[in-house]
Amino acid sequence: MAVVPYRRLFGPGPCNAYPEALIALQQPVLGHLDPAFIEMTDRVCDGLRTVWGTSNRYTMPMSGTGMSGMEAAFANIVVPGDVVVVAVNGLFAERQVDLAERMGAQVVRVDFPWGQPIDPEAVATAHPNPKVISAVHAETSTGVRSDLAALGRLKGDALLLMDAVTSLGGIEVAVDDWGVDIAYSGTQKCLGTPPGLAPFTMSERAYERRNPRPHSFYLDVTLMGAYVGAAQGPVRAYHHTASSPLYASLDATLRRLADEGLPNVWARHQVAGDHFQAGLQDMGLELFAAEGSRLPELTTIKVPEGVDSARVRAFLLSEYDIEIGAGVKDLASKVWRVGLMGANANMASVTLLLGALQDALKRA
Ligand SMILES: *Cc1c(COP(=O)(O)O)cnc(C)c1O
């Protein structure tokens, strides 16, 4: 058997999976219309409603990673010519612009400096009558959290679309309370599950205004809804062969999170992130994300003057089996991105990371 190395995944995702999620992968494969698979699907959709904070019928795991969730969000809502306002403060918001344009939207972008949160007021007033307002809750390219609840209060008649790939299962997400209409995530970030599924949710209001015939068959929310029982209960219609091992893995994670209690899960991420960020500053390192908007689960560190960013990352990988991320675009060699997500959000990780970084800065 070819064996891959055991890495400590402290980059921007994937993270090391929860043990429950890995053990569940070893269960037998089920047919996609097996009663046991249907039961599991129901549990997964209900568990996702809990972590999303929603009662939306159209809540389901899309097959594919976070990007399939992003693609599903835009494909199911945009009809060519629709006005879509996008708040842009990082790489993933740039991708939202790209996807909206591919679906034929007339995009109004509102730009903010990377490292800063979005200004909800400026976004909400950028166009008098957009169909969709779109933003990223946790920008993984910069380590910044934006206030989507505030944007929800200001959205007016528009539909609010939220990227929650790096927030779901890590910090509070409350789709219904915040007035979010369409949201997507991925399993391999704070949900601590292997990559391959994209939790997705859509309000009734959004469903009524959806694109009734999206270009994507695979990600069509109506067809997927019939598959997971969103619309008609127990009767299921074949749509595609969902991966039962991945569903089982997510099922196990959702149960684990419910047992721990979501507020405790968020607190665990917050405590780890706070200690890590304080420890970095004690070491004399500077953080990139604006103070007050820093994500606990993803920290951006400024690479100190004279330090070779890539060498430090290579040293951590070879000496400690630790993966951390480089920056993206203009920040490529200027920041490191360090994730404390899912199973890695704990004090043992913080101590290991601070020690390893100290060693790397000395010896790399
Ligand atoms: C990782 C990420 C994505 C893309 O998810 P993939 O699982 O890599 O397809 C989208 N948005 C944000 C904010 C992310 O961090």
Side-chain angles (χ1 to χ4, degrees):
M1 185 170 91
V3 175
V4 299
Y6 178 79
R7 305 293 199 198
R8 295 174 177 85
L9 299 174
F10 295 125
C15 67
N16 296 104
Y18 286 115
E20 293 89 337
L22 292 178
I23 292 164
L25 280 175
Q26 296 168 19
Q27 296 182 95
V29 174
L30 289 171
H32 53 273
L33 293 175
D34 188 302
F37 181 73
I38 291 174
E39 217 176 278
M40 181 163 71
T41 303
D42 288 348
R43 268 200 315 274
V44 166
C45 293
D46 277 343
L48 288 177
R49 284 183 190 97
T50 304
V51 293
W52 278 122
T54 187
S55 56
N56 287 342
R57 279 194 298 164
Y58 287 92
T59 301
M60 61 194 74
M62 291 292 179
S63 290
T65 63
M67 283 311 300
S68 84
M70 194 190 291
E71 192 122 12
F74 287 93
N76 281 290
I77 210 67
V78 175
V79 176
D82 282 347
V83 174
V84 177
V85 171
V86 185
V88 183
N89 65 337
L91 176 80
F92 291 102
E94 294 275 3
R95 284 202 184 171
Q96 290 192 332
V97 170
D98 187 340
L99 284 183
E101 283 174 353
R102 283 169 192 250
M103 307 300 166
Q106 185 192 322
V107 174
V108 177
R109 55 183 289 166
V110 190
D111 278 89
F112 303 95
W114 285 35
Q116 294 291 326
I118 66 165
D119 171 3
E121 187 84 42
V123 177
T125 53
H127 188 277
N129 187 26
K131 176 170 176 184
V132 179
I133 297 175
S134 178
V136 176
H137 183 211
E139 224 340 311
T140 325
S141 58
T142 61
V144 165
R145 176 202 316 239
S146 286
D147 188 349
L148 273 279
L151 193 51
R153 288 191 290 276
L154 297 169
K155 73 178 181 178
D157 187 51
L159 298 168
L160 178 57
L161 193 163
M162 169 173 75
D163 177 315
V165 176
T166 292
S167 52
L168 197 68
I171 55 176
E172 185 185 11
V173 170
V175 160
D176 288 358
D177 285 355
W178 295 354
V180 172
D181 294 283
I182 305 126
Y184 59 88
S185 188
T187 44
Q188 79 278 20
K189 308 230 175 149
C190 294
L191 284 172
T193 308
L197 292 173
F200 179 88
T201 190
M202 188 182 223
S203 67
E204 287 303 319
R205 218 172 135 254
Y207 189 74
E208 280 159 20
R209 297 191 210 173
R210 75 192 181 283
N211 177 348
R213 197 171 161 76
H215 282 295
S216 172
F217 176 93
Y218 201 61
L219 301 170
D220 184 319
V221 77
T222 305
L223 299 177
M224 265 304 287
Y227 186 39
V228 301
Q232 78 295 27
V235 183
R236 305 298 157 100
Y238 164 70
H239 174 244
H240 72 285
T241 306
S243 166
S244 77
L246 285 179
Y247 274 50
S249 186
L250 180 56
D251 187 24
T253 293
L254 291 169
R255 185 170 302 196
R256 186 224 137 95
L257 297 183
D259 287 348
E260 186 177 351
L262 272 180
N264 297 328
V265 174
W266 301 331
R268 177 163 54 76
H269 282 80
Q270 192 66 51
V271 166
D274 285 349
H275 278 85
F276 181 53
Q277 291 169 6
L280 291 169
Q281 288 169 300
D282 286 348
M283 281 167 58
L285 291 166
E286 279 180 68
L287 305 181
F288 175 76
E291 196 171 356
S293 298
R294 289 173 187 152
L295 293 167
E297 68 273 35
L298 194 283
T299 300
T300 40
I301 307 165
K302 291 186 190 171
V303 177
E305 205 60 48
V307 171
D308 183 337
S309 142
R311 260 175 86 134
V312 166
R313 290 196 306 116
F315 178 89
L316 290 173
L317 194 66
S318 65
E319 301 301 308
Y320 287 88
D321 272 316
I322 284 178
E323 174 180 286
I324 68 167
V328 294
K329 297 235 173 138
D330 292 351
L331 299 174
S333 58
K334 297 200 177 108
V335 304
W336 291 304
R337 294 184 299 151
V338 183
L340 285 166
M341 302 179 183
N344 293 342
N346 56 52
M347 288 305 293
S349 303
V350 171
T351 307
L352 172 62
L353 267 172
L354 290 173
L357 254 177
Q358 207 142 29
D359 189 28
L361 288 171
K362 232 182 289 159
R363 294 205 291 139

